[in-house]
Amino acid sequence: MTTFQQTSNGEELMVYGETGESIAALDAVGATWGRRVAAVIIPLTRLPDGFLDLRTGVAGEYLQKMVTYQIVIAIIGDISIEIARSESLAAFVRESNRGRHVWFIESIDDVHARIG
C-alpha cells in the first residue's frame, strides 16, 4: 500500500507500507510521475534481496535510478546489525546521510525533521 503525507511545509511524501512485495526502483519512480513528491519513503523490508550487501550492486543500481530521476529516497529501518558487520556499508550509509538524495533513517519522523 502507498499513501501520501503532507510535511509541515506543505510538501508531499510518498510512503510505502511495511508489508508487500519488493518495490522496483522504476515502479517507485513511475508512482511519483505527475506529482510533486519531496521524498519517497521505502521500508527496508520492501527493498530487493541483496540490497544491503554492497558487493551485489543492487543498492547502487537501485539508488542511481532514483537519483537520475531526481527523487529523494528515504529508507526506513534499523540496519545497525548490518552496519556493524560491514565497514563499507557503514561508510556508504554515513556518506548517503550527509547528502540530499538518499537517507537511511529509523522512522518517518526523521524524514519530517529533514524536510520540514
Side-chain angles (χ1 to χ4, degrees):
M1 182 173 148
T2 307
T3 61
F4 291 89
Q5 296 181 6
Q6 295 291 111
T7 64
S8 61
N9 65 6
E11 293 187 277
E12 192 172 54
L13 301 176
M14 187 173 79
V15 183
Y16 282 94
E18 289 281 330
T19 59
E21 295 180 14
S22 174
I23 300 165
L26 289 179
D27 289 342
V29 168
T32 66
W33 204 255
R35 297 186 82 116
R36 294 182 47 110
V37 174
V40 173
I41 317 305
I42 300 178
L44 188 60
T45 57
R46 303 284 304 273
L47 292 171
D49 290 339
F51 187 89
L52 293 178
D53 182 355
L54 297 181
R55 295 172 295 181
T56 66
V58 172
E61 184 179 321
Y62 195 99
L63 297 174
Q64 185 59 51
K65 285 179 179 139
M66 301 300 275
V67 171
T68 296
Y69 289 96
Q70 300 177 354
I71 296 171
V72 173
I73 179 172
I75 298 165
I76 294 181
D78 180 7
I79 58 172
S80 57
I81 292 171
E82 291 85 353
I83 287 175
R85 291 182 186 155
S86 172
E87 201 171 300
S88 59
L89 178 61
F92 179 73
V93 168
R94 196 170 36 254
E95 287 303 311
S96 294
N97 284 343
R98 286 184 186 152
R100 297 175 44 153
H101 298 287
V102 178
W103 303 326
F104 291 85
I105 57 178
E106 290 196 32
S107 75
I108 195 151
D109 293 336
D110 296 329
V111 176
H112 286 280
R114 286 182 178 240
I115 292 178

